[in-house]
Amino acid sequence: LTALSSDVQPRSDRPRTALPYMSRRQHPPCERPRTLGATRRFRLAAVAASVLLASALRASCWAGPQAPPRREFLLSASAAAASALLPLPGGGVYAAADPSFLEGIRWDEPKRRKTGLRELAEEFTRAFQRSQWGVNGRVQPQFFADDFVFKDPDVSTDGLRAYAKGTGTVLSGCRADAVDVQLMEPDSFAIKWRIEGTANVPFPGLFIKPYFVTSTFVVNSDGLVASERDSFSIPSWDILLSAFAPWLPFLAPSEPPVLSPYA
């Protein structure tokens, strides 16, 4: 025992071997911490809350007083989150467009006389391009039936006034350029158009990545447009994420500028 103990050096007397310094970059991936910094967590939370808010507010601008419960929940929950993460000057969450633009619409103008589908589609597309009602809401009632209905991947409306108000409130900072119109016998036609500009929700000036919209219009027996159904060239989540986090690599590219042949 004495011999063995004499060979064992006290801890303080043992020779120390200097370990090589390893920077954080040199650590193997399995040894590096996998935690998000506070700034990055905040940014991700802000983006998520803002996307929810934008989706809910866009839907609520078209929805009437009978909004579905899910839509009301999204609006209240995301508004609370975004107001905490992204407070705006003056304490507001978002600012909507001035609805006074509806006052300039001639709601009682005579309806357009019935013509063939091709003539209607051509005249309708040129009016759509000239007035820009697809984004500013300044519709020409002469083309539309009184019970006109609208639907796109996110919202739906009943009545021309509701459509005009919702469109102008959300998209008045945008531009629409019609690039093509196709007849779809016997009673419908489709306009393909490019949208670009800025939205008014959840705050004015929110960038919208340019993309294409295909609007399909159904004509009733009186030769008036009774319904519109829109489809987008990219998913709605791509549109929203591109407004808040355009650097994400999986997002679709912007559509290049076009020159409308109907201008």
Side-chain angles (χ1 to χ4, degrees):
L1 290 175
T2 304
L4 289 174
S5 61
S6 63
D7 293 335
V8 178
Q9 301 179 20
R11 180 178 298 271
S12 59
D13 297 335
R14 293 177 184 175
R16 297 183 179 182
T17 303
L19 296 176
Y21 171 75
M22 296 181 68
S23 67
R24 185 178 180 183
R25 293 179 180 271
Q26 294 173 314
H27 279 281
C30 59
E31 297 179 11
R32 292 175 60 181
R34 297 178 177 270
T35 58
L36 293 175
T39 301
R40 189 176 179 188
R41 287 199 304 269
F42 176 85
R43 288 178 179 175
L44 290 175
V47 168
S50 300
V51 169
L52 278 176
L53 177 62
S55 179
L57 288 176
R58 183 173 185 271
S60 67
C61 287
W62 269 280
Q66 304 300 324
R70 177 176 176 272
R71 197 171 287 170
E72 294 176 352
F73 169 77
L74 279 175
L75 178 61
S76 59
S78 57
S83 62
L85 292 172
L86 300 173
L88 299 177
V93 176
Y94 77 103
D98 186 353
S100 61
F101 69 89
L102 294 173
E103 298 174 0
I105 299 175
R106 295 175 53 198
W107 297 107
D108 58 348
E109 69 178 359
K111 297 298 184 180
R112 179 184 180 279
R113 65 178 180 84
K114 183 177 180 179
T115 63
L117 184 63
R118 183 177 298 277
E119 183 179 345
L120 169 62
E122 183 73 18
E123 185 179 344
F124 186 93
T125 304
R126 293 193 180 278
F128 173 91
Q129 179 66 37
R130 181 178 59 253
S131 69
Q132 295 284 295
W133 75 58
V135 290
N136 63 27
R138 295 185 176 92
V139 295
Q140 294 182 237
Q142 62 171 314
F143 290 102
F144 296 89
D146 293 334
D147 56 352
F148 171 80
V149 295
F150 168 82
K151 184 175 180 60
D152 75 6
D154 300 318
V155 296
S156 61
T157 62
D158 292 323
L160 188 58
R161 288 177 182 265
Y163 164 77
K165 181 179 180 181
T167 300
T169 299
V170 177
L171 301 175
S172 61
C174 295
R175 175 176 175 80
D177 285 301
V179 297
D180 186 40
V181 58
Q182 296 288 334
L183 300 184
M184 303 170 64
E185 301 290 356
D187 59 356
S188 61
F189 61 93
I191 299 176
K192 182 180 180 180
W193 52 284
R194 177 181 179 271
I195 182 173
E196 70 169 330
T198 58
N200 298 317
V201 296
F203 46 81
L206 182 66
F207 171 74
I208 293 182
K209 177 174 65 179
Y211 62 95
F212 280 112
V213 181
T214 298
S215 300
T216 302
F217 303 92
V218 176
V219 181
N220 64 14
S221 58
D222 296 324
L224 301 174
V225 173
S227 68
E228 174 183 349
R229 179 181 292 270
D230 287 359
S231 60
F232 305 151
S233 61
I234 56 177
S236 297
W237 58 262
D238 190 313
I239 299 171
L240 292 171
L241 276 180
S242 296
F244 293 97
W247 61 85
L248 294 175
F250 54 82
L251 298 176
S254 300
E255 293 292 344
V258 298
L259 182 61
S260 174
Y262 302 95

